[in-house]
Amino acid sequence: MARLALLSVSNKTGLLDLAHSLLEEFDFDLISSGGTAQALKDAELPVMKVADYTGSPEILGGRVKTLHPRIHGGILARRDVPQDITDLENNQIRPIDLVVVNLYPFEETIAKPGVTLAEAVEQIDIGGPAMLRASSKNFAHLTVLCDPAQYDEYLQELRQNNGEASLEFRQRAALKGFSHTASYDLAIASYLAEAQHYTLSGTQLQSLRYGENPHQAAAWYQTGTTATGWTAATKLQGKELSYNNLVDLEAARRIIAEFTDIPAATIIKHTNPCGTALGSTISEAYQKAFNADSISAFGGIVALNRSIDAATASELTKTFLECVVAPSCDAEAQEILAKKSNVRVLTLPDLSSGPKDIVKAIAGGFLVQASDNIIADTSQWQVVTERQPTPDELAELLFAWKVCKHVKSNAIVVTSDRTTIGVGAGQMNRVGSVKIALEQAGEKAKGATLASDGFFPFDDSVKTAAAVGITAIVQPGGSLRDKDSIKAANELGLLMVLTGIRHFLH
Protein backbone atom coordinates (compact mmCIF):
# COMPACT_ATOMS: atom_id res chain seq x y z
CA MET A 1 0.00 0.00 0.00
CA ALA A 2 1.20 3.51 -0.80
CA ARG A 3 2.38 5.66 2.04
CA LEU A 4 0.09 8.45 3.24
CA ALA A 5 0.94 12.14 3.49
CA LEU A 6 -1.28 14.73 5.14
CA LEU A 7 -0.89 18.26 3.74
CA SER A 8 -2.65 21.16 5.47
CA VAL A 9 -0.88 24.51 5.14
CA SER A 10 -1.70 28.19 5.44
CA ASN A 11 1.54 29.22 3.72
CA LYS A 12 1.41 27.42 0.38
CA THR A 13 4.94 28.33 -0.74
CA GLY A 14 6.51 25.26 -2.40
CA LEU A 15 3.39 23.15 -1.84
CA LEU A 16 2.83 22.08 -5.43
CA ASP A 17 6.46 21.16 -6.09
CA LEU A 18 6.52 19.07 -2.91
CA ALA A 19 3.26 17.35 -3.83
CA HIS A 20 4.51 16.55 -7.33
CA SER A 21 7.63 14.89 -5.93
CA LEU A 22 5.70 12.93 -3.30
CA LEU A 23 3.34 11.58 -5.94
CA GLU A 24 5.71 10.97 -8.85
CA GLU A 25 8.96 9.99 -7.13
CA PHE A 26 7.85 8.32 -3.93
CA ASP A 27 4.34 6.96 -4.55
CA PHE A 28 2.56 8.77 -1.70
CA ASP A 29 -1.19 9.13 -1.43
CA LEU A 30 -2.26 12.62 -0.40
CA ILE A 31 -5.01 13.73 1.94
CA SER A 32 -5.69 17.38 2.56
CA SER A 33 -8.22 19.86 3.90
CA GLY A 34 -9.75 23.22 3.03
CA GLY A 35 -7.77 25.57 0.85
CA THR A 36 -4.81 23.20 0.60
CA ALA A 37 -6.98 20.50 -0.97
CA GLN A 38 -8.42 23.03 -3.37
CA ALA A 39 -4.95 24.23 -4.40
CA LEU A 40 -3.91 20.65 -5.16
CA LYS A 41 -7.11 19.98 -7.10
CA ASP A 42 -6.65 23.17 -9.10
CA ALA A 43 -3.21 21.86 -10.07
CA GLU A 44 -4.89 18.61 -11.17
CA LEU A 45 -3.08 16.56 -8.53
CA PRO A 46 -4.83 13.53 -7.03
CA VAL A 47 -5.85 14.28 -3.45
CA MET A 48 -8.50 13.03 -1.05
CA LYS A 49 -10.22 15.56 1.18
CA VAL A 50 -9.87 14.93 4.90
CA ALA A 51 -13.67 14.96 5.22
CA ASP A 52 -13.94 12.11 2.68
CA TYR A 53 -11.19 10.15 4.43
CA THR A 54 -12.66 10.52 7.93
CA GLY A 55 -16.29 10.30 6.87
CA SER A 56 -16.95 13.42 8.92
CA PRO A 57 -17.70 16.74 7.22
CA GLU A 58 -15.94 19.96 8.08
CA ILE A 59 -18.16 21.76 10.58
CA LEU A 60 -18.43 25.05 12.43
CA GLY A 61 -17.34 27.04 9.42
CA GLY A 62 -14.11 25.06 9.11
CA ARG A 63 -13.15 25.26 12.78
CA VAL A 64 -13.24 21.45 12.95
CA LYS A 65 -11.58 19.59 10.09
CA THR A 66 -8.69 17.39 11.19
CA LEU A 67 -9.65 16.76 14.82
CA HIS A 68 -10.65 13.14 14.22
CA PRO A 69 -9.40 9.68 15.38
CA ARG A 70 -8.63 8.61 11.80
CA ILE A 71 -6.22 11.56 11.57
CA HIS A 72 -4.66 11.52 15.01
CA GLY A 73 -4.67 7.76 15.25
CA GLY A 74 -2.71 7.59 12.00
CA ILE A 75 -0.26 10.18 13.33
CA LEU A 76 0.27 8.83 16.85
CA ALA A 77 0.38 5.09 16.15
CA ARG A 78 3.67 3.43 17.14
CA ARG A 79 4.65 1.02 14.39
CA ASP A 80 6.58 -1.19 16.82
CA VAL A 81 3.69 -1.63 19.29
CA PRO A 82 1.43 -4.53 18.20
CA GLN A 83 -1.64 -3.16 20.01
CA ASP A 84 -1.32 0.16 18.16
CA ILE A 85 -1.26 -1.66 14.83
CA THR A 86 -4.26 -3.76 15.87
CA ASP A 87 -6.15 -0.59 16.82
CA LEU A 88 -5.42 0.91 13.41
CA GLU A 89 -6.67 -2.20 11.63
CA ASN A 90 -9.82 -2.49 13.74
CA ASN A 91 -10.73 1.13 13.05
CA GLN A 92 -9.72 1.18 9.39
CA ILE A 93 -7.05 3.82 10.02
CA ARG A 94 -4.04 4.16 7.75
CA PRO A 95 -0.71 5.12 9.35
CA ILE A 96 0.41 8.57 8.24
CA ASP A 97 4.07 8.82 7.24
CA LEU A 98 4.32 12.53 6.55
CA VAL A 99 2.54 15.53 8.05
CA VAL A 100 3.06 18.90 6.35
CA VAL A 101 1.37 21.67 8.30
CA ASN A 102 1.88 25.34 9.08
CA LEU A 103 -0.42 27.56 11.04
CA TYR A 104 -2.94 30.33 10.51
CA PRO A 105 -1.15 33.70 10.22
CA PHE A 106 -1.98 34.97 13.71
CA GLU A 107 1.03 37.28 14.11
CA GLU A 108 0.55 38.76 10.66
CA THR A 109 -3.12 39.37 11.46
CA ILE A 110 -2.59 41.21 14.74
CA ALA A 111 0.13 43.34 13.12
CA LYS A 112 -2.47 44.89 10.79
CA PRO A 113 -3.80 48.31 11.83
CA GLY A 114 -7.28 48.25 13.31
CA VAL A 115 -7.62 44.48 13.63
CA THR A 116 -10.41 43.52 16.02
CA LEU A 117 -10.29 40.95 18.79
CA ALA A 118 -12.80 38.78 16.91
CA GLU A 119 -10.66 38.84 13.78
CA ALA A 120 -7.60 37.90 15.80
CA VAL A 121 -9.38 35.04 17.56
CA GLU A 122 -10.44 33.50 14.25
CA GLN A 123 -6.77 33.28 13.29
CA ILE A 124 -5.96 31.12 16.33
CA ASP A 125 -5.25 27.73 14.80
CA ILE A 126 -6.43 24.65 16.70
CA GLY A 127 -6.17 21.67 14.38
CA GLY A 128 -2.75 22.72 13.07
CA PRO A 129 -0.98 22.87 16.45
CA ALA A 130 -2.66 19.62 17.48
CA MET A 131 -1.26 17.85 14.40
CA LEU A 132 2.14 19.50 14.83
CA ARG A 133 2.44 18.39 18.44
CA ALA A 134 1.16 14.88 17.75
CA SER A 135 3.45 14.26 14.79
CA SER A 136 6.43 15.87 16.57
CA LYS A 137 5.85 13.59 19.54
CA ASN A 138 5.85 10.54 17.25
CA PHE A 139 8.97 11.50 15.27
CA ALA A 140 10.30 7.97 15.75
CA HIS A 141 7.73 6.78 13.21
CA LEU A 142 6.93 9.69 10.87
CA THR A 143 8.15 13.06 9.62
CA VAL A 144 6.62 16.47 10.29
CA LEU A 145 7.39 19.58 8.21
CA CYS A 146 6.20 23.01 9.34
CA ASP A 147 8.36 25.29 7.18
CA PRO A 148 8.57 25.37 3.36
CA ALA A 149 12.34 25.75 3.75
CA GLN A 150 12.40 22.11 4.94
CA TYR A 151 10.83 20.64 1.81
CA ASP A 152 13.95 20.31 -0.33
CA GLU A 153 15.98 18.84 2.52
CA TYR A 154 13.25 16.27 3.17
CA LEU A 155 13.15 15.23 -0.47
CA GLN A 156 16.93 14.89 -0.49
CA GLU A 157 16.64 12.66 2.58
CA LEU A 158 14.24 10.39 0.70
CA ARG A 159 16.46 10.30 -2.38
CA GLN A 160 19.57 9.44 -0.40
CA ASN A 161 18.02 6.89 1.97
CA ASN A 162 15.90 4.66 -0.27
CA GLY A 163 12.73 6.67 0.26
CA GLU A 164 13.08 7.06 4.03
CA ALA A 165 13.95 10.08 6.14
CA SER A 166 16.67 9.44 8.71
CA LEU A 167 15.85 9.41 12.42
CA GLU A 168 18.21 12.34 12.92
CA PHE A 169 16.30 14.42 10.37
CA ARG A 170 12.93 13.43 11.85
CA GLN A 171 14.05 14.45 15.32
CA ARG A 172 15.34 17.82 14.08
CA ALA A 173 12.05 18.37 12.27
CA ALA A 174 10.13 17.49 15.45
CA LEU A 175 12.12 20.04 17.44
CA LYS A 176 11.24 22.67 14.85
CA GLY A 177 7.59 21.65 15.15
CA PHE A 178 7.56 22.07 18.92
CA SER A 179 9.41 25.39 18.63
CA HIS A 180 6.86 26.58 16.10
CA THR A 181 3.87 25.78 18.32
CA ALA A 182 5.62 27.26 21.36
CA SER A 183 6.28 30.61 19.69
CA TYR A 184 2.77 30.59 18.20
CA ASP A 185 1.16 30.07 21.61
CA LEU A 186 3.35 32.76 23.14
CA ALA A 187 2.23 35.24 20.49
CA ILE A 188 -1.41 34.47 21.29
CA ALA A 189 -0.82 34.68 25.04
CA SER A 190 0.99 38.01 24.69
CA TYR A 191 -1.82 39.44 22.60
CA LEU A 192 -4.58 38.35 24.95
CA ALA A 193 -2.75 39.07 28.20
CA GLU A 194 -1.94 42.69 27.30
CA ALA A 195 -0.05 44.15 30.29
CA GLN A 196 -0.57 41.22 32.68
CA HIS A 197 1.96 38.89 31.08
CA TYR A 198 4.95 39.57 28.86
CA THR A 199 6.26 36.65 26.87
CA LEU A 200 9.48 36.47 24.89
CA SER A 201 10.51 33.66 22.59
CA GLY A 202 12.95 33.15 19.77
CA THR A 203 14.48 30.59 17.47
CA GLN A 204 18.24 30.19 17.69
CA LEU A 205 19.92 31.31 14.50
CA GLN A 206 23.43 30.41 15.55
CA SER A 207 25.75 29.95 18.47
CA LEU A 208 28.23 32.78 18.86
CA ARG A 209 31.90 32.18 19.69
CA TYR A 210 31.33 33.88 23.04
CA GLY A 211 29.56 36.83 24.62
CA GLU A 212 31.10 40.08 25.80
CA ASN A 213 34.09 38.07 27.06
CA PRO A 214 35.54 34.68 26.07
CA HIS A 215 34.28 32.95 29.23
CA GLN A 216 30.64 33.89 28.49
CA ALA A 217 28.53 31.60 26.29
CA ALA A 218 26.24 33.38 23.81
CA ALA A 219 23.76 32.71 21.02
CA TRP A 220 21.74 34.74 18.51
CA TYR A 221 17.96 34.27 18.37
CA GLN A 222 15.31 35.42 15.92
CA THR A 223 11.95 36.59 17.22
CA GLY A 224 8.84 35.90 15.18
CA THR A 225 8.47 33.70 12.14
CA THR A 226 9.54 36.33 9.58
CA ALA A 227 13.13 37.54 9.41
CA THR A 228 13.35 41.24 10.29
CA GLY A 229 16.07 43.60 11.44
CA TRP A 230 19.52 42.04 11.61
CA THR A 231 18.15 38.57 10.85
CA ALA A 232 17.11 39.98 7.44
CA ALA A 233 20.49 41.57 6.74
CA THR A 234 22.77 40.21 4.02
CA LYS A 235 26.42 39.68 4.91
CA LEU A 236 28.45 40.34 1.76
CA GLN A 237 31.81 39.39 3.24
CA GLY A 238 33.85 39.04 6.39
CA LYS A 239 34.17 36.88 9.47
CA GLU A 240 31.22 35.63 11.51
CA LEU A 241 29.42 38.27 13.53
CA SER A 242 30.20 38.29 17.25
CA TYR A 243 28.01 39.19 20.21
CA ASN A 244 29.73 42.55 20.57
CA ASN A 245 29.47 43.20 16.82
CA LEU A 246 25.71 42.75 16.95
CA VAL A 247 25.30 44.95 20.03
CA ASP A 248 27.36 47.72 18.41
CA LEU A 249 25.58 47.32 15.06
CA GLU A 250 22.26 47.88 16.80
CA ALA A 251 23.62 51.01 18.50
CA ALA A 252 24.81 52.24 15.09
CA ARG A 253 21.44 51.48 13.52
CA ARG A 254 19.63 53.51 16.16
CA ILE A 255 21.73 56.58 15.49
CA ILE A 256 21.65 56.36 11.71
CA ALA A 257 17.87 55.89 11.80
CA GLU A 258 17.62 59.48 13.08
CA PHE A 259 18.80 60.80 9.70
CA THR A 260 16.93 60.14 6.48
CA ASP A 261 16.92 63.33 4.40
CA ILE A 262 20.67 63.80 4.03
CA PRO A 263 23.69 61.45 3.78
CA ALA A 264 24.84 60.46 7.27
CA ALA A 265 27.54 58.27 8.78
CA THR A 266 28.30 57.13 12.30
CA ILE A 267 31.19 55.18 13.79
CA ILE A 268 30.52 53.25 17.00
CA LYS A 269 32.86 51.99 19.70
CA HIS A 270 31.39 50.15 22.70
CA THR A 271 27.85 51.34 21.75
CA ASN A 272 28.86 55.03 21.82
CA PRO A 273 29.49 57.18 18.75
CA CYS A 274 33.08 58.33 18.40
CA GLY A 275 32.09 60.19 15.22
CA THR A 276 28.79 61.07 13.55
CA ALA A 277 28.37 63.48 10.66
CA LEU A 278 26.18 64.65 7.80
CA GLY A 279 27.53 65.47 4.35
CA SER A 280 26.56 66.34 0.80
CA THR A 281 27.62 62.79 -0.19
CA ILE A 282 27.94 59.62 1.83
CA SER A 283 31.70 59.66 1.26
CA GLU A 284 31.94 63.17 2.71
CA ALA A 285 29.74 62.19 5.67
CA TYR A 286 31.99 59.20 6.44
CA GLN A 287 35.20 61.20 6.15
CA LYS A 288 33.84 63.85 8.52
CA ALA A 289 32.72 61.18 11.00
CA PHE A 290 36.12 59.45 10.82
CA ASN A 291 38.10 62.67 11.24
CA ALA A 292 36.01 63.57 14.30
CA ASP A 293 37.97 60.97 16.30
CA SER A 294 40.20 58.93 14.03
CA ILE A 295 41.97 57.27 16.97
CA SER A 296 38.76 55.84 18.44
CA ALA A 297 37.46 54.96 14.95
CA PHE A 298 40.14 52.24 14.68
CA GLY A 299 38.31 48.91 15.00
CA GLY A 300 34.94 50.64 14.92
CA ILE A 301 31.48 49.80 13.60
CA VAL A 302 30.31 51.99 10.71
CA ALA A 303 26.71 52.65 9.69
CA LEU A 304 25.78 54.61 6.58
CA ASN A 305 22.32 55.70 5.49
CA ARG A 306 23.14 55.62 1.78
CA SER A 307 24.45 52.92 -0.54
CA ILE A 308 28.20 52.31 -0.40
CA ASP A 309 29.78 53.67 -3.57
CA ALA A 310 33.34 53.32 -4.81
CA ALA A 311 34.53 56.59 -3.26
CA THR A 312 33.19 55.60 0.16
CA ALA A 313 34.54 52.06 -0.13
CA SER A 314 38.00 53.43 -0.83
CA GLU A 315 37.84 55.54 2.34
CA LEU A 316 36.56 52.59 4.38
CA THR A 317 39.57 50.47 3.43
CA LYS A 318 42.06 53.02 4.78
CA THR A 319 41.65 51.90 8.38
CA PHE A 320 40.83 48.76 10.34
CA LEU A 321 37.08 48.39 10.86
CA GLU A 322 35.10 45.55 12.41
CA CYS A 323 31.79 46.03 10.55
CA VAL A 324 30.16 48.24 7.95
CA VAL A 325 26.41 48.35 7.33
CA ALA A 326 24.49 50.30 4.70
CA PRO A 327 21.20 49.93 2.83
CA SER A 328 23.08 48.56 -0.19
CA CYS A 329 26.51 48.34 -1.82
CA ASP A 330 27.26 48.73 -5.51
CA ALA A 331 29.37 46.24 -7.44
CA GLU A 332 32.47 48.45 -7.75
CA ALA A 333 32.39 49.17 -4.02
CA GLN A 334 32.17 45.43 -3.27
CA GLU A 335 35.31 44.81 -5.32
CA ILE A 336 37.18 47.50 -3.40
CA LEU A 337 35.99 46.25 0.01
CA ALA A 338 36.96 42.69 -0.90
CA LYS A 339 40.59 43.77 -0.46
CA LYS A 340 39.78 43.91 3.26
CA SER A 341 38.30 40.44 3.37
CA ASN A 342 37.99 40.24 7.15
CA VAL A 343 35.82 43.31 7.55
CA ARG A 344 32.18 42.33 7.93
CA VAL A 345 30.11 44.16 5.31
CA LEU A 346 26.34 43.96 5.67
CA THR A 347 23.44 45.39 3.74
CA LEU A 348 20.16 46.12 5.51
CA PRO A 349 17.69 48.02 3.31
CA ASP A 350 15.52 49.02 6.27
CA LEU A 351 17.78 50.60 8.88
CA SER A 352 14.92 52.54 10.48
CA SER A 353 12.83 49.71 11.96
CA GLY A 354 13.80 48.53 15.43
CA PRO A 355 12.23 46.76 18.40
CA LYS A 356 9.14 48.28 19.99
CA ASP A 357 10.29 47.22 23.45
CA ILE A 358 13.59 47.09 25.30
CA VAL A 359 13.97 44.09 27.64
CA LYS A 360 16.61 43.96 30.37
CA ALA A 361 17.17 40.98 32.64
CA ILE A 362 17.53 41.48 36.39
CA ALA A 363 17.79 38.96 39.22
CA GLY A 364 14.44 37.21 39.54
CA GLY A 365 12.86 38.68 36.45
CA PHE A 366 13.18 41.30 33.74
CA LEU A 367 12.22 44.87 32.94
CA VAL A 368 10.37 46.03 29.83
CA GLN A 369 10.19 49.56 28.50
CA ALA A 370 9.05 51.10 25.24
CA SER A 371 11.88 52.02 22.88
CA ASP A 372 12.89 55.67 22.90
CA ASN A 373 11.45 56.32 19.46
CA ILE A 374 10.12 59.84 20.02
CA ILE A 375 10.86 62.10 17.04
CA ALA A 376 12.42 65.46 17.88
CA ASP A 377 10.13 68.36 16.98
CA THR A 378 11.85 71.73 17.10
CA SER A 379 8.47 73.51 16.99
CA GLN A 380 7.91 72.22 20.53
CA TRP A 381 11.26 73.46 21.81
CA GLN A 382 11.48 76.54 24.02
CA VAL A 383 14.09 79.21 23.41
CA VAL A 384 14.76 80.49 26.94
CA THR A 385 17.53 83.01 26.27
CA GLU A 386 17.42 86.50 24.87
CA ARG A 387 19.37 85.39 21.82
CA GLN A 388 17.21 83.58 19.25
CA PRO A 389 18.53 80.84 16.94
CA THR A 390 19.15 81.33 13.26
CA PRO A 391 17.84 78.54 10.97
CA ASP A 392 21.39 77.18 10.69
CA GLU A 393 21.86 77.21 14.47
CA LEU A 394 18.55 75.43 14.95
CA ALA A 395 19.61 72.74 12.46
CA GLU A 396 22.91 72.29 14.33
CA LEU A 397 21.09 72.06 17.66
CA LEU A 398 18.80 69.38 16.22
CA PHE A 399 21.76 67.38 14.91
CA ALA A 400 23.54 67.55 18.28
CA TRP A 401 20.35 66.56 20.10
CA LYS A 402 19.72 63.54 17.88
CA VAL A 403 23.24 62.21 18.45
CA CYS A 404 23.18 62.93 22.19
CA LYS A 405 20.05 60.79 22.51
CA HIS A 406 22.15 57.71 21.69
CA VAL A 407 25.16 58.37 23.96
CA LYS A 408 25.40 56.66 27.34
CA SER A 409 24.33 58.92 30.23
CA ASN A 410 25.51 61.29 31.48
CA ALA A 411 25.85 62.39 27.87
CA ILE A 412 27.40 65.53 26.45
CA VAL A 413 27.89 66.00 22.70
CA VAL A 414 29.68 68.94 21.07
CA THR A 415 29.12 69.49 17.35
CA SER A 416 30.06 71.85 14.55
CA ASP A 417 29.14 71.77 10.85
CA ARG A 418 26.83 68.76 11.52
CA THR A 419 29.78 66.77 12.86
CA THR A 420 30.54 65.56 16.36
CA ILE A 421 33.78 67.07 17.66
CA GLY A 422 33.53 66.00 21.30
CA VAL A 423 31.63 63.23 23.11
CA GLY A 424 31.46 62.73 26.86
CA ALA A 425 29.75 59.43 27.66
CA GLY A 426 28.83 57.35 30.67
CA GLN A 427 30.38 59.49 33.39
CA MET A 428 29.12 59.44 36.95
CA ASN A 429 28.45 63.18 36.88
CA ARG A 430 27.62 65.65 34.16
CA VAL A 431 30.58 67.90 34.96
CA GLY A 432 32.93 65.03 34.08
CA SER A 433 31.16 64.44 30.75
CA VAL A 434 31.34 68.15 29.91
CA LYS A 435 35.06 68.17 30.66
CA ILE A 436 35.75 65.14 28.45
CA ALA A 437 33.68 66.45 25.51
CA LEU A 438 35.21 69.92 25.60
CA GLU A 439 38.76 68.60 25.95
CA GLN A 440 38.20 66.40 22.92
CA ALA A 441 36.76 69.31 20.93
CA GLY A 442 39.73 71.54 21.80
CA GLU A 443 40.03 74.68 19.67
CA LYS A 444 37.13 73.48 17.53
CA ALA A 445 34.80 74.25 20.43
CA LYS A 446 34.85 77.94 19.48
CA GLY A 447 31.49 78.67 17.90
CA ALA A 448 30.29 75.10 18.45
CA THR A 449 27.05 73.67 19.84
CA LEU A 450 26.66 71.56 23.00
CA ALA A 451 23.88 69.05 23.74
CA SER A 452 23.13 67.45 27.11
CA ASP A 453 20.80 64.45 27.51
CA GLY A 454 19.71 65.66 30.98
CA PHE A 455 19.28 69.02 32.65
CA PHE A 456 22.09 71.00 34.27
CA PRO A 457 21.60 70.96 38.07
CA PHE A 458 23.88 73.99 38.39
CA ASP A 459 25.16 76.73 36.11
CA ASP A 460 28.81 75.61 36.33
CA SER A 461 28.71 73.55 33.11
CA VAL A 462 27.19 76.47 31.19
CA LYS A 463 30.02 78.72 32.34
CA THR A 464 32.63 76.07 31.49
CA ALA A 465 31.18 75.67 27.99
CA ALA A 466 31.11 79.43 27.38
CA ALA A 467 34.71 79.77 28.53
CA VAL A 468 35.96 77.60 25.65
CA GLY A 469 33.77 79.24 23.02
CA ILE A 470 30.50 77.23 22.93
CA THR A 471 27.77 79.52 21.57
CA ALA A 472 24.62 77.36 21.73
CA ILE A 473 23.26 74.75 24.14
CA VAL A 474 20.35 72.32 23.85
CA GLN A 475 19.14 70.48 26.93
CA PRO A 476 15.84 69.09 28.26
CA GLY A 477 15.40 71.48 31.16
CA GLY A 478 13.45 70.54 34.28
CA SER A 479 15.96 71.42 36.99
CA LEU A 480 14.89 73.47 40.02
CA ARG A 481 17.84 75.69 39.07
CA ASP A 482 17.04 76.08 35.36
CA LYS A 483 16.80 79.83 35.97
CA ASP A 484 20.44 79.89 37.10
CA SER A 485 21.62 78.19 33.89
CA ILE A 486 19.45 80.48 31.78
CA LYS A 487 20.75 83.56 33.60
CA ALA A 488 24.35 82.45 33.03
CA ALA A 489 23.65 81.85 29.34
CA ASN A 490 22.17 85.32 28.96
CA GLU A 491 25.04 86.97 30.78
CA LEU A 492 27.56 85.15 28.58
CA GLY A 493 25.70 85.74 25.31
CA LEU A 494 24.81 82.07 24.70
CA LEU A 495 21.77 80.66 23.00
CA MET A 496 19.92 78.04 25.08
CA VAL A 497 17.03 75.82 23.99
CA LEU A 498 14.98 73.50 26.23
CA THR A 499 13.44 70.45 24.55
CA GLY A 500 11.23 69.27 27.40
CA ILE A 501 12.32 65.71 26.63
CA ARG A 502 15.02 63.74 28.45
CA HIS A 503 17.02 60.97 26.76
CA PHE A 504 18.84 58.98 29.43
CA LEU A 505 20.49 55.82 28.11
CA HIS A 506 21.71 53.39 30.76
Side-chain angles (χ1 to χ4, degrees):
M1 179 182 294
R3 287 176 293 176
L4 188 60
L6 169 60
L7 282 56
S8 180
V9 293
S10 175
N11 178 1
K12 296 177 176 56
T13 303
L15 170 68
L16 299 183
D17 289 339
L18 174 65
H20 272 291
S21 294
L22 294 175
L23 291 165
E24 297 169 6
E25 289 188 64
F26 302 107
D27 195 31
F28 273 87
D29 287 339
L30 306 183
I31 57 174
S32 190
S33 61
T36 307
Q38 189 59 53
L40 295 171
K41 283 184 174 293
D42 290 345
E44 299 183 350
L45 296 175
V47 59
M48 177 182 291
K49 287 187 175 182
V50 165
D52 295 332
Y53 174 71
T54 62
S56 297
E58 294 183 8
I59 60 172
L60 308 182
R63 279 189 166 197
V64 177
K65 296 189 284 279
T66 57
L67 297 171
H68 192 280
R70 291 200 79 189
I71 297 298
H72 285 273
I75 291 173
L76 286 166
R78 294 159 292 186
R79 316 299 167 81
D80 55 356
V81 176
Q83 185 58 54
D84 284 9
I85 300 303
T86 299
D87 287 343
L88 293 183
E89 293 171 350
N90 290 342
N91 290 279
Q92 298 182 319
I93 297 173
R94 291 177 62 180
I96 297 175
D97 290 280
L98 173 66
V99 175
V100 182
V101 58
N102 51 60
L103 309 179
Y104 294 169
F106 180 80
E107 290 182 271
E108 291 85 345
T109 298
I110 61 174
K112 296 176 182 177
V115 66
T116 65
L117 175 61
E119 290 170 334
V121 166
E122 282 308 308
Q123 290 301 317
I124 298 177
D125 203 331
I126 301 300
M131 288 188 292
L132 264 180
R133 288 179 58 80
S135 50
S136 295
K137 174 178 179 175
N138 205 28
F139 69 84
H141 301 283
L142 79 161
T143 304
V144 58
L145 306 176
C146 63
D147 184 345
Q150 297 172 292
Y151 297 171
D152 285 342
E153 187 179 0
Y154 172 70
L155 293 173
Q156 287 301 317
E157 280 278 317
L158 298 187
R159 290 168 185 142
Q160 294 169 7
N161 298 296
N162 297 318
E164 299 290 339
S166 66
L167 178 61
E168 180 186 4
F169 176 84
R170 298 200 303 272
Q171 185 168 344
R172 280 192 284 113
L175 173 59
K176 192 173 183 69
F178 281 125
S179 297
H180 190 29
T181 57
S183 61
Y184 191 78
D185 286 341
L186 281 172
I188 296 168
S190 297
Y191 176 76
L192 295 177
E194 296 180 343
Q196 297 176 17
H197 299 277
Y198 190 95
T199 53
L200 182 67
S201 69
T203 302
Q204 185 172 321
L205 289 180
Q206 66 183 78
S207 295
L208 301 173
R209 287 182 62 197
Y210 51 79
E212 287 181 297
N213 299 290
H215 61 275
Q216 294 173 266
W220 181 10
Y221 289 81
Q222 173 184 316
T223 56
T225 56
T226 302
T228 59
W230 296 110
T231 63
T234 300
K235 185 158 75 74
L236 301 180
Q237 67 171 60
K239 298 183 290 186
E240 288 297 318
L241 291 166
S242 71
Y243 179 95
N244 289 335
N245 289 158
L246 288 162
V247 171
D248 284 336
L249 280 166
E250 176 60 11
R253 185 202 62 76
R254 289 175 181 171
I255 290 184
I256 214 67
E258 296 282 353
F259 307 103
T260 57
D261 297 335
I262 187 170
T266 189
I267 306 173
I268 297 292
K269 286 293 286 291
H270 308 298
T271 73
N272 282 306
C274 53
T276 302
L278 308 182
S280 58
T281 65
I282 196 62
S283 178
E284 180 191 18
Y286 170 72
Q287 289 178 68
K288 289 170 67 178
F290 177 81
N291 291 332
D293 186 355
S294 58
I295 294 175
S296 298
F298 185 85
I301 306 289
V302 175
L304 311 168
N305 71 348
R306 296 290 189 273
S307 179
I308 306 173
D309 55 21
T312 309
S314 295
E315 292 298 323
L316 291 167
T317 59
K318 291 180 180 179
T319 191
F320 167 65
L321 299 170
E322 286 281 353
C323 304
V324 178
V325 63
S328 58
C329 181
D330 68 35
E332 187 177 358
Q334 285 190 52
E335 288 185 17
I336 295 169
L337 290 168
K339 298 173 185 176
K340 293 274 190 174
S341 59
N342 284 335
V343 64
R344 303 158 179 90
V345 179
L346 296 89
T347 57
L348 181 59
D350 182 10
L351 284 162
S352 63
S353 296
K356 294 180 180 179
D357 297 327
I358 303 297
V359 181
K360 186 169 292 188
I362 60 172
F366 56 88
L367 308 175
V368 181
Q369 67 170 346
S371 293
D372 188 2
N373 290 331
I374 192 167
I375 298 173
D377 182 359
T378 57
S379 70
Q380 301 300 310
W381 290 3
Q382 182 183 7
V383 180
V384 292
T385 50
E386 296 167 0
R387 190 159 79 79
Q388 299 293 303
T390 66
D392 186 68
E393 285 178 320
L394 189 60
E396 190 72 41
L397 288 163
L398 179 60
F399 171 77
W401 182 244
K402 285 182 174 182
V403 177
C404 192
K405 172 182 176 181
H406 300 281
V407 175
K408 291 286 187 181
S409 298
N410 290 303
I412 297 292
V413 172
V414 179
T415 74
S416 179
D417 188 29
R418 315 304 189 268
T419 304
T420 57
I421 57 175
V423 178
Q427 298 305 299
M428 286 62 72
N429 63 76
R430 197 159 300 279
V431 172
S433 290
V434 170
K435 181 179 179 182
I436 291 171
L438 293 177
E439 284 182 351
Q440 186 182 10
E443 290 297 317
K444 295 179 182 178
K446 293 179 180 179
T449 293
L450 183 147
S452 173
D453 67 343
F455 60 65
F456 293 112
F458 302 99
D459 63 5
D460 50 358
S461 291
V462 176
K463 293 177 179 178
T464 300
V468 297
I470 295 293
T471 58
I473 294 176
V474 57
Q475 55 129 328
S479 170
L480 293 175
R481 295 185 174 87
D482 273 349
K483 62 181 185 298
D484 295 339
S485 294
I486 295 168
K487 180 182 177 183
N490 276 323
E491 290 175 348
L492 296 166
L494 271 66
L495 162 67
M496 182 178 286
V497 173
L498 304 185
T499 66
I501 300 291
R502 190 185 75 185
H503 285 306
F504 282 177
L505 179 61
H506 287 92

